[in-house]
Amino acid sequence: MKKTANKDTRFKHWKLATDIDDIVWLSLDREGESTNSLSLEVLSELSTVIDRLEENPPAGLVLQSAKPGSFIVGADVREFDDYDDANTASDGISQVHRLFNRIEALPFPKVVAIDGYCLGGGLEIALTFDYRIATNVEHTRLGFPEIKLGIYPGFGGSARSVQQAGASNAMQLMLSTRNLRPGAARAMGLVDELVGPHGSLRWAARRAVKQGRKSRKPGQLKRLQNFGPVRTLMARMMRKQVAARANPEHYPAPYELIDAWERYGDDPQRMMAEESEKVGKLITSETSKSLRRVFFLMERLKGIGKQSRIKVRRVHVIGAGVMGGDIAAWCILQGMDVSLQDRELKYIEPALKRAKSLFQKKLRDRNKVDAAMSRLIPDVEGKGVGRADVIIEAIFEDVKAKRELFAAIEPRIKPGAVLATNTSAIPLAEISSVLKKPERLIGIHFFNPVAKMPLVEVVYDEKSDPAQVAKGAAFCGAINRFPLPVKSSPGFLVNRVLAGYMAKAMSMHLERGIPIEILDMAATSFGMPMGPVELADTVGLDVCLKVVTLLGGESAKKEASLLQEKVHAGELGKKTGKGFYTWEKGKPKRVQKDTGQYALEEITDALMQPYFDACEAALADGIVEDEEVLDAGMIFGTGFAPFRGGPLYYLKQKGAKQ
């Protein structure tokens, strides 16, 4: 009689169960963690499991997760810092390659049953199996996020994915770091079969093993992409696309991936050997260390949004301008019903038009767009106030107007509702003083453009009810935004820092005659996503004027005067088509300047100094809890160069090197 694996064997993180058909069900349930990740201990245990399967081959193998709705989110990023040098890291990667090669070589049908996030190392191990089945539900996603961490897929994923899905598909997936829905993953060839929400993933996996199913081989066109001159041509195009969004000096990983594929795309084993060497170097680089810090900062902000529970079905937004209308549209995209209030319908109609454009871009389905529009209710009379779980004021920046508004709506708000202002700089106490219960009011400060900026400041002061602040943060989490708790003070955190930064650019333009294009180039060369002048145009020069006037005082008189001239002329920046730049199709028209006559490094230092000074002052004033939260705020709120790990972290690293 043929021997099989133990009927039921339990390790610390893995469980093997053999059914009546001699199929082994291998389940990962990482102990002490809410999600599965591939730690060194998890991989070591997996090696022992593979030993047993090699010694006693079953009729088939199914890999699954024992955590409902979650598969494997990747390698354990926390362990990356344990690598002291590139050689040690490369050796560790090579060990995983050998383990995954053993899985791939197992001489019986192997099926992966995917439900939930299958990312990074999770997708890499799935690619070693013969056949992949995924649940076709909203919470299932597949992808390679490694570039965000300053590396690229290192457990054989770069080599196997280009063979399985074709180079064009696989390389774009790795370079973009986007997550695929199950249908897109199937179309690409990374998934072979989908199971609907009412289907049985276990039954489908069992059937696939019994029938010995294997992934369909990629077509001839996909295979040709990995050979000869085609690789050289495609690699050139990929570098050009990546260069449009990533400087190779700042972010080397995507370029290293393209180089490796161009050299060895037709030889999976050579490409894996290149993985070991290149990813080993990348993972120990300063860029990767900084980007890992950004990852953990993001996780911390996400955690803040989970400290309270809140069910939000209805949101009421007062003020249908660019900010208010876009807040309403974003909440609709997150599945909420929104009533949008303004003085007359004619002020709401432009917001409805912008919302429909956003829905068309994001949803790409007429029926879904129509359904979204049906949940965005124009509400001139403000009837939605009494039904809303969250009320957000987003009118113009005037203390008197905001006070009158809140005094009028307070009696109509239902118990437990979140009451918030989207003010960009006015201290909370100046608004809440008219309320009978001032402790209810918090700030929920979004940034423009709402659909792209991931950070929201949750503003509080000494009168604020901590429960309301926590609910405000939870609301941010519910709409897929990172909440940043900040103490109320002029400008809060982000605008306080940006005010001096943008004012410095204007003063250098006024007093030294430095062209705006050169100022912006100096900032982007440092790693900022856009320069201070383009940023001012994007935020809106009317908003900048109010912030600079409020925070700059007499010291920013010239800068405020310059902004005032622009505002009086109706040149408010991107939203009016003209500000410091002329804007066409959402892009600023730049006049080419000779950079040779300007000392870019000196200009960069001068521009960034007020930024750093304001960060240090804000921390000293207790505007945020600690250095980590401040760095997170500046990365996700201003786009501070992620590869530098945050402004305070950067200053600390810079000081350590001097």
Side-chain angles (χ1 to χ4, degrees), residues 438-497:
E439 68 275 8
R440 291 192 67 175
L441 184 68
I442 62 171
I444 297 183
H445 178 218
F446 290 80
F447 297 94
N448 194 33
V450 173
K452 292 184 178 180
M453 297 301 291
L455 188 84
V456 177
E457 289 179 319
V458 181
V459 187
Y460 65 92
D461 63 15
E462 63 275 2
K463 290 185 178 180
S464 300
D465 179 357
Q468 288 294 99
V469 178
K471 286 167 69 175
F475 165 68
C476 294
I479 60 169
N480 197 28
R481 286 294 175 258
F482 302 148
L484 180 79
V486 296
K487 187 169 72 174
S488 179
S489 66
F492 313 136
L493 174 65
V494 172
N495 282 341
R496 173 175 176 166
V497 174

Side-chain angles (χ1 to χ4, degrees), residues 41-82:
E41 187 175 54
V42 167
L43 291 168
S44 177
E45 283 190 3
L46 179 59
S47 181
T48 302
V49 170
I50 302 306
D51 289 341
R52 296 193 180 195
L53 296 175
E54 288 171 336
E55 293 171 6
N56 299 288
L61 173 67
V62 177
L63 172 64
Q64 62 185 2
S65 168
K67 296 186 186 296
S70 177
F71 186 64
I72 301 172
V73 297
D76 190 336
V77 180
R78 294 167 296 189
E79 294 184 344
F80 289 6
D81 287 336
D82 294 341

Side-chain angles (χ1 to χ4, degrees), residues 374-589:
S374 72
R375 292 187 287 109
L376 180 53
I377 310 299
D379 186 12
V380 174
E381 297 177 3
K383 294 180 180 179
V385 168
R387 297 191 296 268
D389 303 302
V390 176
I391 301 103
I392 302 173
E393 168 273 309
I395 66 172
F396 55 97
E397 286 288 86
D398 182 86
V399 174
K400 183 180 178 182
K402 291 178 186 290
R403 285 174 176 168
E404 290 176 354
L405 173 64
F406 280 110
I409 67 172
E410 184 182 22
R412 299 160 54 197
I413 297 169
K414 72 179 185 180
V418 173
L419 182 61
T421 173
N422 183 58
T423 179
S424 58
I426 301 172
L428 213 57
E430 294 186 22
I431 303 172
S432 66
S433 60
V434 299
L435 298 176
K436 292 180 180 178
K437 293 183 177 180
E439 68 275 8
R440 291 192 67 175
L441 184 68
I442 62 171
I444 297 183
H445 178 218
F446 290 80
F447 297 94
N448 194 33
V450 173
K452 292 184 178 180
M453 297 301 291
L455 188 84
V456 177
E457 289 179 319
V458 181
V459 187
Y460 65 92
D461 63 15
E462 63 275 2
K463 290 185 178 180
S464 300
D465 179 357
Q468 288 294 99
V469 178
K471 286 167 69 175
F475 165 68
C476 294
I479 60 169
N480 197 28
R481 286 294 175 258
F482 302 148
L484 180 79
V486 296
K487 187 169 72 174
S488 179
S489 66
F492 313 136
L493 174 65
V494 172
N495 282 341
R496 173 175 176 166
V497 174
L498 288 181
Y501 172 59
M502 291 188 290
K504 183 65 176 180
M506 293 172 203
S507 71
M508 293 174 76
H509 177 59
L510 285 168
E511 297 171 11
R512 296 173 55 181
I514 301 175
I516 57 175
E517 291 86 356
I518 296 297
L519 291 166
D520 280 352
M521 189 182 300
T524 55
S525 68
F526 178 78
M528 302 298 279
M530 65 176 66
V533 183
E534 183 182 348
L535 177 63
D537 266 6
T538 302
V539 170
L541 301 189
D542 51 340
V543 176
C544 292
L545 175 60
K546 290 183 180 296
V547 173
V548 169
T549 302
L550 178 67
L551 300 178
E554 287 296 316
S555 64
K557 206 168 184 179
K558 291 181 181 179
E559 293 81 357
S561 178
L562 174 62
L563 288 168
Q564 188 71 65
E565 289 178 18
K566 294 282 188 183
V567 172
H568 277 160
E571 298 174 359
L572 307 184
K574 184 177 181 179
K575 58 188 172 185
T576 60
K578 190 172 183 182
F580 286 103
Y581 290 102
T582 297
W583 291 76
E584 291 183 358
K585 297 181 179 179
K587 301 288 184 181
K589 287 185 67 177

Side-chain angles (χ1 to χ4, degrees), residues 608-642:
M608 296 305 301
Q609 194 57 53
Y611 186 106
F612 294 134
D613 291 344
C615 286
E616 293 180 320
L619 182 66
D621 291 345
I623 302 303
V624 292
E625 185 177 350
D626 54 38
E627 288 185 21
E628 285 191 351
V629 175
L630 188 142
D631 277 352
M634 302 324 294
I635 291 167
F636 299 116
T638 75
F640 181 85

Side-chain angles (χ1 to χ4, degrees), residues 212-381:
R213 293 187 178 183
K214 293 182 180 291
S215 291
R216 183 178 299 176
K217 296 295 183 182
Q220 185 177 12
L221 180 60
K222 287 184 177 180
R223 294 198 301 272
L224 285 174
Q225 292 173 358
N226 287 313
F227 287 93
V230 178
R231 290 208 310 274
T232 301
L233 177 62
M234 289 179 63
R236 189 180 304 128
M237 294 171 61
M238 289 174 190
R239 289 190 189 94
K240 185 176 180 180
Q241 291 172 347
V242 171
R245 62 180 187 269
N247 186 327
E249 294 182 10
H250 300 160
Y251 301 99
Y255 300 93
E256 295 281 18
L257 170 59
I258 295 169
D259 289 347
W261 172 72
E262 184 179 13
R263 294 179 67 186
Y264 303 118
D266 58 348
D267 188 338
Q269 291 305 314
R270 288 293 299 275
M271 195 167 172
M272 273 193 250
E274 196 77 351
E275 265 187 10
S276 298
E277 181 181 346
K278 286 184 176 290
V279 177
K281 290 178 180 177
L282 289 168
I283 206 170
T284 53
S285 68
E286 287 302 319
T287 292
S288 184
K289 291 176 183 177
S290 294
L291 291 176
R292 293 200 296 273
R293 184 171 192 268
V294 173
F295 170 78
F296 291 124
L297 294 178
M298 178 181 67
E299 292 299 305
R300 180 168 177 189
L301 293 189
K302 286 182 180 178
I304 291 172
K306 297 176 182 177
Q307 291 175 1
S308 176
R309 291 187 177 183
I310 181 173
K311 288 186 177 181
V312 181
R313 293 178 57 195
R314 298 186 180 92
V315 177
H316 184 75
V317 179
I318 306 172
V322 172
M323 182 62 78
D326 290 358
I327 292 171
W330 184 254
C331 290
I332 290 287
L333 279 177
Q334 309 311 307
M336 298 167 186
D337 295 339
V338 181
S339 46
L340 181 58
Q341 181 181 352
D342 214 308
R343 290 169 291 168
E344 297 179 44
L345 184 60
K346 67 179 182 181
Y347 298 118
I348 301 176
E349 287 173 343
L352 298 178
K353 186 177 179 181
R354 287 197 316 278
K356 187 171 185 178
S357 178
L358 178 66
F359 299 157
Q360 289 171 335
K361 181 180 178 181
K362 295 287 187 180
L363 300 176
R364 300 180 180 181
D365 180 282
R366 182 176 178 179
N367 292 331
K368 290 181 180 179
V369 171
D370 290 344
M373 290 300 296
S374 72
R375 292 187 287 109
L376 180 53
I377 310 299
D379 186 12
V380 174
E381 297 177 3

